[in-house]
Amino acid sequence: MNFESTIRIEPTRSDGELMQVLAIQEVVFIEEQGMSMELESELLEREAFHLLAYQQGHAVGTGRLLVLKEAPPGERGRWGQLGRMAVLRSSRGAGIGKALLEALTKEAKGLGLDGLSLHAQVSAQSFYEREGFVVSSEVFHEAGMPHVEMRRLF
C-alpha cells in the first residue's frame, strides 16, 4: 500500500483541531521524548498558523508557523518561524514530515515572507538540510534537548 497517497494536510479551523495539535505534541515531545516543555500561551497558539496531517482519516502529525515581528539577526525582510513539527511514531517514514514542511513553506511564501527559521533537534538536522535549511548557530539546549537554529531563504 502506498501510504503517501493517504496523506492529507489541512490548516486547523476549530478549537477541536487545535486540541488535536496539542495532543500530538504532548505524545511526541513529552511522552515519547521526555522533553520538559513549557506550555506556551494560549494566545500564541491561537495566533499561529497550524497544520494537521491526516493519514487514513486520523490526525497523525502537526507543524506551526509564526510570523516574526523582526528578521533574525543578520537577516532582512519578513521572516517566519517554524516549530512544533511532530509526527506520531506509528506514522513516521511515510513522508508526512516532508509534506508538512512543504505545506508550511508554501504558506510562508504565500504570506510574502522572505525566509524561515526554526530550532531543530540535532537528531532532525539532516531532515531539514535536505529541505534547504542551513545551520545558523552552535548547538544549544532547549526543553532539555540539543538543538540548532536553522534558516532558509526563499
Side-chain angles (χ1 to χ4, degrees):
M1 171 184 245
N2 180 0
F3 286 106
E4 285 192 57
S5 65
T6 64
I7 298 169
R8 184 171 46 91
I9 307 293
E10 298 285 339
T12 58
R13 294 185 178 90
S14 68
D15 286 346
E17 290 173 340
L18 184 57
M19 292 299 108
Q20 290 179 59
V21 165
L22 297 174
I24 291 168
Q25 291 174 356
E26 182 175 336
V27 167
V28 172
F29 297 127
I30 297 173
E31 293 176 17
E32 181 182 318
Q33 297 180 353
M35 292 178 83
S36 58
M37 289 179 44
E38 301 79 34
L39 296 177
E40 293 176 305
S41 76
E42 185 175 325
L43 178 62
L44 175 64
E45 291 299 334
R46 291 187 184 280
E47 289 178 356
F49 175 79
H50 292 276
L51 290 175
L52 274 171
Y54 296 90
Q55 185 178 43
Q56 299 176 338
H58 300 283
V60 296
T62 186
R64 168 181 89 186
L65 170 65
L66 292 169
V67 176
L68 297 175
K69 296 186 187 326
E70 56 187 62
E75 302 289 356
R76 293 181 181 189
R78 295 183 62 225
W79 280 71
Q81 184 173 36
L82 299 183
R84 306 297 177 151
M85 292 274 297
V87 176
L88 296 176
R89 183 187 314 239
S90 61
S91 296
R92 291 185 196 143
I96 294 168
K98 182 175 180 174
L100 281 164
L101 188 56
E102 287 173 354
L104 288 166
T105 300
K106 182 178 178 182
E107 178 69 17
K109 288 178 179 179
L111 292 171
L113 301 182
D114 299 300
L116 289 170
S117 69
L118 58 87
H119 293 176
Q121 291 181 21
V122 171
S123 62
Q125 179 180 330
S126 63
F127 166 77
Y128 292 107
E129 287 173 334
R130 287 191 302 273
E131 300 303 318
F133 285 82
V134 176
V135 173
S136 59
S137 76
E138 298 293 324
V139 174
F140 60 92
H141 280 76
E142 185 173 84
M145 305 270 300
H147 285 70
V148 290
E149 181 182 14
M150 301 185 81
R151 296 180 186 170
R152 178 179 172 193
L153 285 167
F154 299 137

